Amino acid sequence: MISLQGISKSFKVARRAAGLRQAAKSLIFREHTVVEALKDITFSIGEGEIVGYIGPNGAGKSTSIKVMSGILVPDRGSCTIKGYTPWKERTAYVGHIGVVFGQRSQLWWDVPVIDSFQLLKDIYRIPPDEYRRNLALLTETLDLGGLLETPVRQLSLGQRMRCEIAASLLHGPSVLFLDEPTIGLDAVSKLAVRDFIRTINREKGVTVILTTHDMSDIEALADRILLIGKGTLLYDGTLQQLRGRFGTERTVTVDYRGGSGQGPLVVEGAESVSWSPERAVFRVDTGKTRIADVLSRLSEQAELLDVAIEAKPVEELIVELYREHRI
Amino acid sequence: MVLYFKYLSILFKSQLQYRASFWLLTFGQFFIPFSVFAGMYLMFERFGELRGWTFYEAALVFAVIHLAFSLSECFARGFDMFSGLIASGGFDRLLVRPRSTALQVLGSQFEFTRFGRLLQSAIVLVWALAKLPIDWNAPRAVTLALMVACGVLIFTGIYMLFATLCFWTVQGLEIGNIFTDGGREMAQYPLDIYKKWVTVFFTFVIPFGCVNYLPLLYVLGRAHGHPAGYMAMPLAGVLFLLPCLAVWLIGVRHYRSTGS
């Protein structure tokens, strides 16, 4: 469905030195440095997948999205999406994709949302029936009912993002690129957006490629992670595999009553992290000790009131990945 | 073309959101060329005629070029203001839509307040035509309409050329105004009053003369030779636009390979 083979792209960037003299000099002639934004990127994505595309700022995420959406022409490599080469058959291809740039609006600022939608209907040549059907579905699932008649400039960020996403899906694309769709949203809007992405993925089989810095987006949505750093693809796999690779460690927090009352509870195979007469926190390596054993040993010593077992947050796993690859 | 009108209507609605500023700007635009025209009037008042051109003939030349200019500023504003679209990244958005870039850029902005200028030029046109003893027939009327239409194409072409430069410079270059504003100022007088090289430049390089001075000779009955030649003259505007469009496409290709 989507396949990239050895995509490379480099940019010439004008180098500017500080100082007035240097600035004046750069008016006449400039030194260029070549920045390799993408180095030999190869991956493929199947129909109906949700893929989280992550990496630190400047890693090449946006460049890859631009290549895949047909905006940029790469230096080398091939890319086939739904049978098209994005940058070659641009006008034929882009009718099959939807793109949301989280930081830039695609709606006309001063007019009601519905006017923008109608213009998009003409731009994409959406047949009236299909337009009506898609609009009804999007209005319902994104809860746009009261928003359509409001000028875009009066919408809150969360409301606007819902309208942006609807606008990218009016023509019924089968691939959706989301570039930081939850940036700046409050918790409620974030959940609504995630919920919606999952819904269209499940019900309409839309393939979703999502870039984000919010790891809870990834956790909530992505079956698969592509990690890119300094233009190179560093990791391609599921969140589960990533957890398995770095995180056999669990944090066990217990609230308890009783016990000796004198000093911390001591349990074989669990390292005590913190302790108070009511609560104790342990670190357990599940590769060596079973959680169940730890709990049963604990319950022999005290009456357990509450138990919480947490894996390492995805955020930390990602930081470890970054560290491993020195990016 | 249908889509172009849809763009037109949505942006008209947008502009009407700010009614007070819309009317003020329209009003102001009415008076800008008015002052230029008043200067022209006073000059003719003093000297009577200019190298054999009467005031009303010159007024007609003025009206044609200003009509074309205000129409192009209104309807091809997207190219005129293109640097903003590049700087904001809005051009990327246009590239992920299944339509030609030129059409979408044209549709990205209209400046309806130019109706003020348009109205002023139209009044001058009607006034000049009423006072001139022109022997009207269909070909002459068609020629006059063609002059305005093709004048619009030339201005649009210039906007397009300088919009293309934005792909390399990102920031808009005021240098384009030398040719649009400058060309307009020059071409609002009959071209034969200038030095030879000016006339040549505005006939063969930027063909304002072809949509203005030369066919007007025919409309005013001053032409020698076959009228068809003069009637076809404005089509030079089309010839001018084509290479501009080609340059634009080269610019778009450059943008897509450099991303800047």
Side-chain angles (χ1 to χ4, degrees):
Chain A
M1 164 91 156
I2 297 179
S3 118
L4 276 74
Q5 275 291 329
I7 292 282
S8 299
K9 176 85 205 163
S10 57
F11 297 115
K12 252 200 218 163
V13 180
R15 201 165 35 190
R16 290 212 185 89
L20 189 63
R21 182 193 291 247
Q22 293 297 321
K25 200 172 133 198
S26 76
L27 276 178
I28 314 296
F29 61 106
R30 282 208 187 138
E31 288 170 62
H32 291 281
T33 37
V34 176
V35 175
E36 283 186 85
L38 296 178
K39 285 178 245 175
D40 200 23
I41 299 279
T42 300
F43 61 80
S44 60
I45 295 172
E47 198 154 351
E49 275 194 81
I50 301 185
V51 174
Y53 203 50
I54 56 175
N57 290 326
K61 294 192 301 283
S62 296
T63 308
S64 336
I65 297 280
K66 281 182 180 177
V67 167
M68 285 190 277
S69 54
I71 296 171
L72 275 181
V73 184
D75 299 338
R76 278 186 308 281
S78 67
C79 170
T80 316
I81 299 178
K82 290 197 70 76
Y84 295 96
T85 300
W87 57 90
K88 280 195 183 131
E89 301 129 290
R90 185 183 70 83
T91 47
Y93 165 68
V94 292
H96 296 280
I97 62 166
V99 187
V100 176
F101 297 113
Q103 319 210 44
R104 284 184 233 137
S105 179
Q106 61 169 318
L107 303 166
W108 281 259
W109 195 242
D110 290 313
V111 292
V113 178
I114 189 75
D115 288 1
S116 293
F117 286 3
Q118 261 152 12
L119 185 55
L120 287 170
K121 164 179 173 266
D122 293 310
I123 291 174
Y124 283 95
R125 300 190 174 94
I126 310 170
D129 281 353
E130 197 188 326
Y131 172 73
R132 248 193 318 272
R133 226 171 328 129
N134 285 344
L135 183 62
L137 182 78
L138 290 166
T139 309
E140 194 197 337
T141 43
L142 280 167
D143 195 20
L144 302 180
L147 306 180
L148 292 178
E149 304 299 327
T150 318
V152 177
R153 64 167 192 275
Q154 290 171 12
L155 297 177
S156 73
L157 190 59
Q159 290 171 330
R160 210 192 78 208
M161 188 50 70
R162 270 146 58 200
C163 294
E164 297 279 351
I165 293 177
S168 315
L169 288 167
L170 279 173
H171 56 290
S174 49
V175 183
L176 181 62
F177 296 99
L178 298 163
D179 197 0
E180 305 196 17
T182 56
I183 195 164
L185 297 190
D186 62 41
V188 178
S189 310
K190 224 178 238 184
L191 288 185
V193 165
R194 278 183 204 154
D195 217 35
F196 175 75
I197 294 171
R198 217 176 299 124
T199 308
I200 51 150
N201 170 259
R202 211 170 32 221
E203 287 177 11
K204 302 194 93 183
V206 176
T207 308
V208 180
I209 291 129
L210 158 102
T211 78
T212 183
H213 289 292
D214 185 343
M215 289 308 146
S216 51
D217 284 349
I218 298 288
E219 207 157 3
L221 290 172
D223 319 318
R224 182 173 157 202
I225 298 175
L226 295 173
L227 172 78
I228 186 171
K230 288 186 185 155
T232 320
L233 192 64
L234 299 174
Y235 178 80
D236 177 355
T238 65
L239 200 55
Q240 285 305 326
Q241 287 168 338
L242 185 65
R243 283 227 170 89
R245 191 161 139 199
F246 285 103
T248 50
E249 215 170 75
R250 296 288 180 277
T251 306
V252 179
T253 307
V254 291
D255 289 344
Y256 66 95
R257 195 157 42 203
S260 63
Q262 324 278 314
L265 300 172
V266 180
V267 182
E268 190 193 335
E271 184 191 341
S272 176
V273 177
S274 69
W275 172 86
S276 77
E278 294 88 30
R279 168 176 281 203
V281 181
F282 300 95
R283 198 179 290 133
V284 179
D285 186 346
T286 54
K288 294 179 190 142
T289 318
R290 284 169 51 209
I291 294 276
D293 294 342
V294 173
L295 289 182
S296 72
R297 277 170 217 157
L298 273 171
S299 59
E300 283 162 15
Q301 297 180 36
E303 180 189 349
L304 302 184
L305 301 175
D306 194 10
V307 177
I309 302 163
E310 284 157 68
K312 199 178 262 188
V314 186
E315 231 113 50
E316 279 180 32
L317 295 181
I318 298 298
V319 170
E320 261 174 61
L321 255 186
Y322 287 179
R323 202 175 296 142
E324 184 184 291
H325 293 285
R326 295 204 189 79
I327 54 173
Chain B
M1 205 58 198
V2 178
L3 183 60
Y4 181 78
F5 286 110
K6 301 270 170 135
Y7 276 125
L8 202 64
S9 97
I10 200 166
L11 287 159
F12 189 58
K13 275 190 210 166
S14 304
Q15 205 144 39
L16 284 186
Q17 291 277 315
Y18 306 97
R19 249 167 247 168
S21 91
F22 174 77
W23 286 116
L24 277 174
L25 277 169
T26 308
F27 188 71
Q29 285 291 329
F30 182 88
F31 282 101
I32 292 171
F34 185 81
S35 60
V36 179
F37 183 68
M40 191 174 184
Y41 177 81
L42 291 173
M43 193 178 72
F44 275 90
E45 178 96 300
R46 180 83 180 72
F47 299 108
E49 62 173 33
L50 186 66
R51 290 223 178 166
W53 292 85
T54 69
F55 170 67
Y56 292 110
E57 286 169 335
L60 190 57
V61 175
F62 172 94
V64 166
I65 208 73
H66 277 264
L67 267 181
F69 179 72
S70 48
L71 282 170
S72 70
E73 269 215 313
C74 175
F75 295 108
R77 185 74 168 169
F79 278 108
D80 197 15
M81 302 302 277
F82 183 66
S83 61
L85 207 55
I86 282 283
S88 70
F91 191 64
D92 288 351
R93 170 57 61 189
L94 301 192
L95 283 173
V96 298
R97 288 185 175 146
R99 293 301 184 112
S100 79
T101 48
L103 174 65
Q104 292 189 78
V105 172
L106 269 184
S108 68
Q109 214 160 24
F110 297 96
E111 192 50 67
F112 298 100
T113 58
R114 295 300 187 271
F115 278 130
R117 195 185 270 260
L118 190 70
L119 186 67
Q120 197 269 347
S121 316
I123 291 171
V124 172
L125 183 80
V126 171
W127 189 33
L129 288 179
K131 294 283 185 175
L132 285 169
I134 297 174
D135 179 16
W136 281 109
N137 55 22
R140 288 204 162 126
V142 170
T143 308
L144 193 64
L146 262 183
M147 283 160 60
V148 175
C150 294
V152 173
L153 296 186
I154 295 179
F155 280 115
T156 307
I158 298 175
Y159 290 143
M160 217 180 242
L161 278 184
F162 287 96
T164 307
L165 271 185
C166 294
F167 287 126
W168 280 272
T169 63
V170 180
Q171 275 164 1
L173 288 181
E174 295 289 310
I175 194 172
N177 298 356
I178 298 173
F179 296 100
T180 51
D181 296 346
R184 186 196 66 218
E185 294 298 313
M186 297 300 262
Q188 69 190 3
Y189 290 101
L191 271 184
D192 67 344
I193 66 167
Y194 298 113
K195 285 215 176 348
K196 182 99 178 141
W197 67 268
V198 177
T199 318
V200 168
F201 181 79
F202 283 114
T203 306
F204 295 106
V205 183
I206 301 178
F208 279 124
C210 297
V211 299
N212 191 341
Y213 165 69
L214 289 169
L216 260 188
L217 291 178
Y218 160 68
V219 173
L220 294 172
R222 288 172 167 234
H224 311 286
H226 201 277
Y230 288 93
M231 281 182 66
M233 220 44 111
L235 298 177
V238 182
L239 285 183
F240 179 74
L241 188 63
L242 290 177
C244 295
L245 202 60
V247 170
W248 166 254
L249 292 176
I250 292 171
V252 172
R253 188 181 314 153
H254 170 81
Y255 177 83
R256 295 178 67 200
S257 64
T258 59
S260 61

